Amino acid sequence: MKKVIFALFFVLLLIGCQEEKKVSPYDVLDEYIGSWKENDYQKMYDTYLTNSTKENFTYDVFLERYEKLYGDLEIDNLTIEVLDKEQAWEEETSVTIPGKLSFDTFAGKVEYEKDFVMEKVIKEEEADSWTVHWDPSFILPDLELTDKVRIDSTTAERGEILDSEGNPMAHNGEVFQVGVVPGQFEEEKSLSLLASIINMDEAYIKSQYTLSWAQPDYDMPVKKFLLEDEEIVRKADEIGGVTVTRVKERIYPYGEAAAHLIGYIGEVSAEDLETLEGYAPGDKVGKRGLEQLLEERLRSQNGQKIYLEKEDGSTVDIVETASQNGETIQLTINSNLQQTLFETLKEEKGTAAVLDPSTGKVRSLVSLPTFNPNDYVLGLTTEQRQALENNPDQPTVNRFSYTYSPGSTMKLLTSVIGLENGSLDPNLAFDINSKEWKKDESWGDYKVVRYYENETKVDLESALKFSDNIYFAKVGLEMGPEKYQEGLEKLGVGEALPFTYPTVKSQISNSGTLDREILLADTAYGQGEFLLNIVHLASIYGGVINNGNMMQPLLLEEEPEKVWKENIVSEEQAKLLQTSLRKIVSEGSSQKANISGREIAGKTGTAEIKMEQGTTGTENGWFVSYDQQDPTMLTAMMIEGVEAKEPRGSTYTVEMTKRFYEALRVSQE
């Protein structure tokens, strides 16, 4: 009896072991999917595919299809989901398991359901297993071996940048492209001639038509030209082996006049591809100016479609992303003002801004010297690019984004602060009987110097008319550092300028405080460590002209008008300062700004760039002005190196401002 019981137990044990050896098709499918996600195509094929699949598809076909299509279509984020894990399979020889596939391609996301047909493999010596039926539709929906996978693109256009009147400042147009067909070009005879016509180095031209991928019958691009350069292009076209075609390109109609403001586009670099999403080699991206700052809005998205072409010519769409043009963006800039201001100052070094004090809209913004942004998109050699970047006059530096010492234009800010906090009585006159002054002997040899000695009883109007340094130094000292600094902060000093185009933040001093008497005195009349951006300075003056409300500077027409700093002075105080600004020109130190038919008002400033008192250095000349007959246009201008100009100092800037107003009148007639 014991032997019978033992035998029964042994049989049951064997049955249990066999049951434990049963392999689930779901487990096999999970392993197969794991190999798929790891791109282990060899294991997928050798270990998991059915014999019938291998008879229909060789490993080379299997591998080539996966690797090529996954690479060409940029397949990523592959997800394979088993939808039903509850089927009974123990007694089945074939099981169909529903699944779902999804993945991203360059043309969008593909998502579809696909059944996995699992076939049992019966083995005598070991546990049964399962294999997977495979066909190409596991790569793309409805894909068959004889299908051709096609890609179609729809080109979208980059958004344009328009001025306030709708004139294009950056738009998509056509240019000439000069090329060379190597097999038809007689280098010895024609290379030097072509170089002289298109003003390019011979070595550079040769490098373009001898690139590694060049072929004798290929048209190799060399240089692009604007349509207005037709005569140059025509001469080049007469040379054998030289081709001329029209191609699409980004064009900047105002060229040098708006270079720093608008910027330019260029091909994405390796660094760009590391930091920017959604770009591929060969794409164009904003490199400077508003082209770069507004890249996300201006950039276009080409349409992409992946589809199958069947043997009978019919097609099956797999995925499609519609093309999307970039936004068209309208600026507050008036291109006529921009061009006129540039033409007036094109031989100078400096910066200028024009804005409407009543709205805050910036109408013009220039930086000199400059460059032509069209050169960057049409093609610069390495030498030409380096020549621009190494030019001692720094034409690629954007001066309107930086801060500068404002010179005596600072005196209006001191007046605003003193009037607003009540520490300045405009009718109280200081007795100033000498050209030099210092508070006491604690200042050592340091003195404040006045350049006009017209009056000895100096009140606010007189001090502004003749830009009296001593008067404003005293005003600053009597106000004290705390009140003065608080007043500057109320004018936005020390905070980021709320302007679409980023600028360097203004500063009160190098340390951020006015903790020394001499520093406070110097700051009050415009020669301390105080630094201000030209748009910010224009905005503060605009607040006085706008009867006390300082508007936020605007660069985009879509931006709502908004008061940035309210009641920087009362309306009555603003009127008083407006009167003084007019008298500076009509009776005071800036009479050269008088223009027939206009009532120019404004304030000059000369900022001395030197290490210490008693030494000489360079000078920046300032003039902030407007026409009181038409107070909707305020002009702030700064010119570098005015110590070497004629007339010298800020008087030269006054003269250039006068020329701008006169040129503007002519252009508007």
Side-chain angles (χ1 to χ4, degrees):
M1 186 65 181
K2 288 182 179 180
K3 290 182 178 180
V4 174
I5 294 171
F6 179 78
L8 180 60
F9 173 76
F10 184 72
V11 170
L12 291 173
L13 180 62
L14 286 176
I15 293 172
C17 290
Q18 288 179 352
E19 288 179 350
E20 289 178 0
K21 288 182 179 179
K22 286 186 178 181
V23 177
S24 163
Y26 292 101
D27 293 337
V28 173
L29 182 57
D30 285 344
E31 293 172 7
Y32 175 75
I33 290 171
S35 298
W36 189 351
K37 289 182 177 180
E38 293 173 1
N39 300 326
D40 190 347
Y41 303 121
Q42 185 77 54
K43 187 175 182 181
M44 287 173 66
Y45 189 89
D46 292 343
T47 305
Y48 298 107
L49 296 192
T50 64
N51 289 330
S52 61
T53 298
K54 293 176 182 178
E55 290 172 3
N56 292 326
F57 306 100
T58 67
Y59 174 68
D60 289 342
V61 169
F62 178 83
L63 178 65
E64 189 269 342
R65 275 283 169 166
Y66 266 111
E67 288 190 335
K68 180 167 178 55
L69 290 177
Y70 272 30
D72 290 350
L73 305 182
E74 299 176 17
I75 288 177
D76 195 14
N77 298 323
L78 174 66
T79 299
I80 306 160
E81 183 182 357
V82 175
L83 299 179
D84 181 6
K85 294 186 177 182
E86 303 299 326
Q87 295 184 65
W89 53 268
E90 288 83 353
E91 305 301 325
E92 303 295 333
T93 59
S94 178
V95 178
T96 299
I97 302 174
K100 183 177 181 182
L101 284 74
S102 68
F103 47 84
D104 295 328
T105 72
F106 66 81
K109 188 168 187 175
V110 176
E111 194 171 43
Y112 64 107
E113 293 187 359
K114 177 70 176 172
D115 288 340
F116 293 93
V117 178
M118 310 294 293
E119 181 179 299
K120 181 182 283 187
V121 179
I122 299 174
K123 301 179 180 180
E124 294 182 1
E125 301 298 327
E126 53 186 301
D128 297 341
S129 187
W130 297 84
T131 52
V132 183
H133 282 281
W134 181 90
D135 65 69
S137 63
F138 280 99
I139 302 177
L140 292 175
D142 300 315
L143 178 65
E144 297 176 299
L145 189 60
T146 55
D147 292 347
K148 294 179 180 179
V149 179
R150 301 296 193 188
I151 297 170
D152 193 15
S153 297
T154 306
T155 303
E157 291 200 332
R158 187 175 179 84
E160 297 192 331
I161 301 176
L162 310 178
D163 81 343
S164 59
E165 305 298 318
N167 301 308
M169 301 191 78
H171 74 104
N172 309 303
E174 285 190 334
V175 298
F176 291 119
Q177 180 171 276
V178 174
V180 168
V181 180
Q184 302 172 15
F185 185 68
E186 298 182 42
E187 184 178 294
E188 187 173 339
K189 172 185 174 182
S190 303
L191 181 56
S192 61
L193 176 60
L194 178 60
S196 65
I197 291 172
I198 67 175
N199 192 29
M200 299 291 284
D201 183 73
E202 289 184 29
Y204 175 79
I205 296 174
K206 186 174 180 178
S207 72
Q208 297 306 105
Y209 66 76
T210 58
L211 292 168
S212 60
W213 52 273
Q215 296 293 326
D217 59 342
Y218 280 13
D219 184 0
M220 303 298 292
V222 171
K223 180 77 169 69
K224 294 175 182 176
F225 291 89
L226 297 175
L227 297 184
E228 62 197 51
D229 297 321
E230 185 175 4
E231 185 175 348
I232 295 173
V233 172
R234 180 181 54 78
K235 290 179 180 178
D237 196 26
E238 293 173 355
I239 301 173
V242 173
T243 62
V244 174
T245 54
R246 286 194 178 202
V247 296
K248 289 186 176 182
E249 191 53 271
R250 192 71 161 175
I251 297 173
Y252 304 100
Y254 294 93
E256 295 176 318
H260 291 97
L261 175 64
I262 303 299
Y264 55 85
I265 65 170
E267 193 168 308
V268 290
S269 63
E271 292 78 12
D272 291 330
L273 293 173
E274 290 179 0
T275 58
L276 300 175
E277 293 185 3
Y279 292 83
D283 287 348
K284 299 291 182 68
V285 65
K287 292 289 187 178
R288 285 195 60 163
L290 292 175
E291 287 277 36
Q292 182 179 33
L293 293 167
L294 302 175
E295 170 65 20
E296 283 302 309
R297 297 180 60 185
L298 292 169
R299 69 176 295 197
S300 59
Q301 297 286 345
N302 290 338
Q304 304 284 358
K305 182 167 79 169
I306 300 170
Y307 65 97
L308 306 179
E309 183 180 309
K310 299 289 184 178
E311 276 191 301
D312 62 3
S314 62
T315 61
V316 176
D317 290 344
I318 301 299
V319 63
E320 181 176 8
T321 300
S323 62
Q324 184 175 340
N325 292 332
E327 288 185 55
T328 294
I329 298 175
Q330 189 168 22
L331 308 181
T332 60
I333 299 294
N334 180 291
S335 56
N336 180 52
L337 275 173
Q338 184 79 12
Q339 187 71 41
T340 304
L341 188 57
F342 165 73
E343 291 294 337
T344 303
L345 298 175
K346 63 183 179 181
E347 302 300 327
E348 307 298 336
K349 291 170 63 177
T351 181
V354 178
L355 63 76
D356 183 341
S358 64
T359 63
K361 291 184 178 182
V362 175
R363 296 305 190 184
S364 180
L365 206 50
V366 299
S367 173
L368 287 303
T370 185
F371 58 90
N372 193 332
N374 290 304
D375 291 341
Y376 282 87
V377 295
L378 298 178
L380 285 172
T381 66
T382 301
E383 291 75 15
Q384 289 170 331
R385 190 181 296 266
Q386 288 176 346
L388 270 174
E389 293 172 352
N390 297 330
N391 187 322
D393 288 336
Q394 298 179 298
T396 60
V397 171
N398 183 2
R399 287 163 167 82
F400 65 68
S401 68
Y402 285 93
T403 55
Y404 300 86
S405 172
S408 289
T409 60
M410 184 71 182
K411 288 165 182 167
L412 184 75
L413 278 65
T414 300
S415 302
V416 166
I417 294 168
L419 290 172
E420 192 277 333
N421 65 27
S423 63
L424 173 59
D425 181 350
N427 299 311
L428 178 64
F430 290 131
D431 290 320
I432 304 176
N433 300 306
S434 61
K435 189 173 182 178
E436 298 179 345
W437 172 85
K438 63 181 178 180
K439 180 188 173 186
D440 53 40
E441 292 305 315
S442 67
W443 283 19
D445 294 332
Y446 193 85
K447 298 175 182 178
V448 178
V449 180
R450 67 196 297 221
Y451 293 93
Y452 296 92
E453 299 180 77
N454 302 61
E455 298 178 5
T456 58
K457 294 286 187 180
V458 184
D459 60 9
L460 177 59
E461 181 181 297
S462 174
L464 284 170
K465 277 170 54 177
F466 297 105
S467 200
D468 196 305
N469 292 342
I470 295 175
Y471 175 89
F472 284 99
K474 289 187 172 188
V475 168
L477 289 171
E478 290 196 3
M479 193 183 309
E482 291 80 11
K483 284 187 176 181
Y484 194 81
Q485 185 166 331
E486 182 182 341
L488 288 174
E489 291 169 353
K490 287 182 178 179
L491 297 176
V493 175
E495 64 180 87
L497 187 68
F499 190 48
T500 294
Y501 204 110
T503 63
V504 175
K505 190 185 299 184
S506 56
Q507 70 168 43
I508 291 171
S509 69
N510 295 339
S511 67
T513 63
L514 299 171
D515 54 358
R516 305 187 310 276
E517 281 187 340
I518 292 176
L519 179 61
L520 173 59
D522 281 349
T523 302
Y525 70 85
Q527 291 297 332
E529 298 169 354
F530 182 83
L531 299 176
L532 195 64
N533 172 265
I534 193 167
V535 177
H536 194 167
L537 178 64
S539 297
I540 295 171
Y541 270 70
V544 172
I545 298 166
N546 196 38
N547 296 326
N549 285 330
M550 179 176 160
M551 304 299 290
Q552 177 179 324
L554 306 178
L555 190 55
L556 307 181
E557 282 288 356
E558 67 198 42
E559 297 175 298
E561 297 172 16
K562 179 181 178 182
V563 175
W564 179 26
K565 302 294 179 182
E566 191 174 9
N567 298 326
I568 61 172
V569 286
S570 68
E571 185 172 348
E572 180 183 358
Q573 291 165 341
K575 297 292 186 186
L576 182 150
L577 292 173
Q578 292 167 20
T579 299
S580 295
L581 290 172
R582 172 57 185 152
K583 287 187 176 181
I584 291 171
V585 176
S586 63
E587 303 173 10
S589 58
S590 301
Q591 294 184 45
K592 288 185 178 293
N594 272 315
I595 299 175
S596 177
R598 291 182 183 265
E599 294 181 8
I600 301 299
K603 181 71 188 78
T604 57
T606 304
E608 300 175 83
I609 314 300
K610 58 186 182 181
M611 295 303 295
E612 58 183 30
Q613 192 172 44
T615 63
T616 58
T618 60
E619 295 179 354
N620 293 339
W622 290 86
F623 189 41
V624 184
S625 61
Y626 72 107
D627 183 356
Q628 291 194 336
Q629 291 182 341
D630 179 17
T632 61
M633 191 185 86
L634 176 144
T635 302
M637 186 181 294
M638 186 278 288
I639 297 177
E640 298 176 17
V642 292
E643 78 284 351
K645 303 289 186 179
E646 188 58 45
R648 294 179 59 186
S650 59
T651 304
Y652 183 80
T653 311
V654 170
E655 179 63 30
M656 298 306 292
T657 302
K658 184 177 179 179
R659 289 185 195 179
F660 167 60
Y661 286 136
E662 290 173 340
L664 192 60
R665 177 181 56 79
V666 171
S667 70
Q668 293 173 339
E669 288 179 348

